Amino acid sequence: MQLLSHFLELRAGFEHGVEQVPQPITLDELADRLYCSTRNVKLLLRKMSDQDWISWKPGRGRGNVSELTFLVSAEDMISKQAMALASQGDYKGTIELIHQLGRGEALQDSFIDWLFSFFGYRAVEHEERYKDTLRFPVYKWLVSLDPAYSFFAFDSHLMNQIFDTLVLNNPQTQAIEPHLAHYWEVSEDGLHYTFYLRKGVLFHHGREMTASDVYYSISRIKELGAAASQGWMTESIENMTVLNRSAIAIELKQPNVLFLQQLSHSSLAILPEEICRDNEEIFGRMPIGTGPFRLERNDDYICKLRAFDSYFGVRPHLDQVEIWLLPHDLAEAGPSWDTVQVLCDHTNSRKPVGAVGKDSEWHQIEQSILGCSLLTFNQSKDGPQQHPSFRQAIDLILDRERMIEELGGFREAPASSFLPTLIGSAAPYRTDVEEAKRLLDEIGYRGEALEMFIYSNNNEDAIWICQQCAKAGIHIHLTTREKSEMMKLDTIMEADLIFYHICMESEYDLHIIQTLKQSNSYVRAHLSEERMAWVDQEIDKILLNSSREERICQLHQLVEVLQEEKSFLFVLHRSLQTTYHDSIKGVSINDLGWVDFRKIWFAPSG
């Protein structure tokens, strides 16, 4: 590896495509480039020559020009070394090489083909038995797996594989079902809940879960308050009492008709008290739960989940899942795994996505993602974005239909609500650039620049929005911030605008409230203090209403008020496409847009 690093460092000093062409250079120049003595340079050149990586013809006499010829390309070297490491089972070494040495290199097509053929399903021999393994790449890494900081969809999806909650919400029936709690009682006034826990439920480290763990997990979120993403969910709790090892009583300050739904949310998952309390700083990286998969590894490049054999529920059919972080530039070369999840049998793994429909062995699921892209305006920061007419002007500038037509992809429809199936929560948008310019003149806008925060440099939607605003004289600078930073309130409040995609789940009333109550929700954080207080008052009323239809109607009215002021803008709905081979069974896409690992299984090939 060290010799390869020297070779790549040496090759980086020459132009692209000079292989097989002698390059004049002196020994002293090479010593400068490799930061070593001429003696060490000679040793390195000899070793590289012995490997047939280079040809070296020394000049006669010190300081005379010599000839260096590269016999292999840097891309080829990286590819071969990565393949060799992978064949030895050194997957960490493989992906480290791709990141550290492949940065900026245009890797060979043959290597790209090999790399992507490596993903999908395969039966891996381990300790004399085969384990069904699903391996797939992502280009945006995990931020935290600590339920207290549940924020991003991918993180939440993995939390749902690692942890369990007291109860579950069935999205098909809208009913609350038993889970860690096998039974519960609620007093007539709706203030007293008693939960009876299943016995013999084990955490991944082998200890039995008890009511003390439930007390600790919920108390922790309550004590964190606004520091926890969903701390608001525990605001209605007045008191908790551990009755015995398998029973706990919870008393509320006032009735909360969504309390059971809140307890089904990943942020209120049950954690092992001593593990989390004593290792809180690293718990987000290596958490322990009671879920169907236990986390076996989570470093900078690979996250590995293994089925928990002692799971109290139905053990997953899948034995292990490996998630690899790949460099962003490889996203262009392979399938776009952010929007297309290709789960394939290893014998047919190079089947192009375009072949689906021509081959009965391949299937596709395309569905709308619950949620939409949003543009928020920071009304607590000085600037033109504080003015309703400025926000209305941007709304009039954004021709969503044209945006879809020009950018294409999985952009599905203009958004006028949080969910693509929701009708009547807001008026359809209209486009009128001249009216927008009139509004800008009316408020005296003179081209002051604003900062829009985004997660990724290659955000086509945000770039398009900025270009359209520029045509009307609005200057917006895009600023990319790390996802971990974008969870922090201080960072959120620095931005004038934030553009992002919000992913919702099927409990619409809970999740719209969550968007308006979550401490680090961009929608909430960017409201004025007065409007935030009004939202809180309205939601307190909604949480008293036992009729789901009436709650949703009240929420529509609340959102409509915010839309009249253009507190935030709905932009687009998107769809997701999953392509999978016939050998993979039980494929279903959850609300977070991911294949549920616990449900898929594999039919033996041929």
Side-chain angles (χ1 to χ4, degrees), residues 159-394:
M159 287 178 201
N160 289 335
Q161 313 298 308
I162 297 168
F163 297 100
D164 288 305
T165 49
L166 283 178
V167 295
L168 290 179
N169 185 73
N170 186 320
Q172 278 74 44
T173 63
Q174 299 293 330
I176 299 295
E177 298 176 349
H179 200 48
L180 290 177
H182 67 86
Y183 185 74
W184 60 89
E185 297 169 334
V186 186
S187 63
E188 284 189 19
D189 61 7
L191 295 176
H192 300 272
Y193 289 74
T194 306
F195 293 92
Y196 301 93
L197 308 181
R198 296 182 192 276
K199 295 180 180 179
V201 174
L202 299 180
F203 285 110
H204 298 152
H205 67 309
R207 180 175 68 74
E208 185 180 7
M209 179 207 68
T210 71
S212 294
D213 297 302
V214 176
Y215 182 94
Y216 169 79
S217 302
I218 298 174
S219 297
R220 177 175 178 249
I221 301 296
K222 189 167 179 62
E223 288 167 12
L224 283 168
S229 294
Q230 309 300 341
W232 70 274
M233 288 187 179
T234 59
E235 286 176 352
S236 62
I237 297 176
E238 177 70 32
N239 189 40
M240 290 192 293
T241 306
V242 173
L243 303 176
N244 57 40
R245 280 179 61 86
S246 56
I248 185 169
I250 301 177
E251 180 186 350
L252 303 186
K253 298 174 186 175
Q254 66 274 336
N256 175 357
V257 296
L258 293 182
F259 184 59
L260 288 173
Q261 277 185 289
Q262 290 170 0
L263 290 177
S264 73
H265 192 271
S266 59
S267 62
L268 293 180
I270 306 308
L271 325 174
E273 179 180 359
E274 78 286 4
I275 299 294
C276 182
R277 186 189 60 237
D278 298 341
N279 304 276
E280 199 158 9
E281 289 186 4
I282 63 169
F283 194 78
R285 170 74 78 150
M286 290 299 299
I288 287 175
T290 61
F293 288 93
R294 62 181 176 86
L295 187 64
E296 194 169 77
R297 171 180 180 176
N298 184 22
D299 53 39
D300 291 339
Y301 303 117
I302 295 177
C303 177
K304 186 174 181 179
L305 301 172
R306 188 181 293 275
F308 184 38
D309 289 334
S310 299
Y311 185 53
F312 75 91
V314 178
R315 183 200 185 277
H317 301 289
L318 199 58
D319 295 307
Q320 53 194 24
V321 177
E322 282 184 15
I323 306 160
W324 288 27
L325 173 66
L326 293 187
H328 278 283
D329 51 2
L330 281 181
E332 300 294 323
S336 176
W337 291 81
D338 286 337
T339 51
V340 183
Q341 300 175 45
V342 182
L343 308 176
C344 46
D345 180 85
H346 69 283
T347 58
N348 291 286
S349 54
R350 297 184 189 179
K351 200 73 174 179
V353 174
V356 175
K358 302 172 187 174
D359 188 330
S360 60
E361 292 182 341
W362 287 81
H363 309 279
Q364 277 184 347
I365 299 174
E366 185 166 339
Q367 67 183 54
S368 299
I369 300 175
L370 296 182
C372 61
S373 50
L374 296 176
L375 182 61
T376 66
F377 301 92
N378 189 350
Q379 296 171 58
S380 296
K381 184 180 177 184
D382 289 340
Q385 78 283 352
Q386 281 196 342
H387 205 296
S389 293
F390 180 85
R391 304 194 294 268
Q392 186 180 355
I394 290 187

Side-chain angles (χ1 to χ4, degrees), residues 92 110 125 330 368 370 396 412 497 538 553 573 577 593:
K92 184 169 187 276
S110 59
E125 188 171 3
L330 281 181
S368 299
L370 296 182
L396 290 168
E412 189 174 56
L497 308 91
E538 294 301 306
C553 184
H573 294 300
Q577 182 175 288

